[in-house]
Amino acid sequence: MITVNCREVPSIKSPLAIYTSDKVGAVPALKLHEFVLSPIEDEEIDATNVITAIKMFLASIGRERHFAVIQKNMVVTVVSLDGYKLESFPHGRSDQFFSCIHCGHVTQFETVHNNHMKIHYL
C-alpha cells in the first residue's frame, strides 16, 4: 500500500486518486487529506510509477511547475514549491465520484454506479 498525501491540493484529491490508480493498476481509498493505493493482486505497487502518474496529472492540468512530488518510505506527498494554492479543479467539481466496493469501478454518475452495483448481486 502507498499513501498519497494531498493536504496541499485538496481540490484535486479525487480526480488525482482516480487517474493515479488507473495508471498504476491499484484500488484507491479516499481519506480526509489523502488517499491510499492498494494493489489489485499480491504484487507491490512501485512508488516511482505513482510519482510519475501524479506528475503526469499535474502536467495535464498545467500546474506541474508549482508542485513537487516527494516520497518518504511508503508515503508520497504533493507539496507546493512557491506557495501556490490550487483553489479549484480546472475541469469542474472533484468531489462527486462513486466507487464500487466490490471491484473498484469508479464513475462520476450515481445512476451508472447504481446500475453497476446491480451486476454484483445477480
Side-chain angles (χ1 to χ4, degrees):
M1 285 189 347
I2 294 181
T3 302
V4 179
N5 182 343
C6 298
R7 190 170 296 276
E8 293 192 28
V9 289
S11 63
I12 62 168
K13 180 183 66 173
S14 294
L16 179 61
I18 292 167
Y19 183 87
T20 306
S21 66
D22 282 347
K23 289 293 184 187
V24 299
V27 177
L30 296 175
K31 294 186 173 185
L32 184 60
H33 297 291
E34 61 191 24
F35 63 90
V36 178
L37 296 170
S38 301
I40 294 174
E41 296 178 2
D42 290 335
E43 58 194 47
E44 291 290 320
I45 299 172
D46 187 8
T48 56
N49 292 341
V50 173
I51 292 168
T52 302
I54 293 170
K55 288 180 179 181
M56 288 172 53
F57 180 83
L58 291 170
S60 73
I61 62 171
R63 304 295 191 265
E64 71 277 4
R65 68 175 180 262
H66 297 290
F67 295 98
V69 184
I70 301 169
Q71 176 189 2
K72 185 173 183 181
N73 297 327
M74 296 306 282
V75 177
V76 175
T77 305
V78 181
V79 294
S80 176
L81 292 175
D82 54 3
Y84 184 80
K85 296 287 184 192
L86 191 57
E87 296 298 327
S88 64
F89 182 56
H91 300 296
R93 293 186 61 175
S94 64
D95 59 349
Q96 298 216 348
F97 289 95
F98 300 92
S99 177
C100 177
I101 58 172
H102 302 291
C103 68
H105 174 265
V106 179
T107 182
Q108 197 174 0
F109 307 103
E110 185 174 12
T111 55
V112 172
H113 173 70
N114 291 339
N115 287 333
H116 170 81
M117 290 296 286
K118 292 176 187 175
I119 67 169
H120 292 290
Y121 299 101
L122 292 177

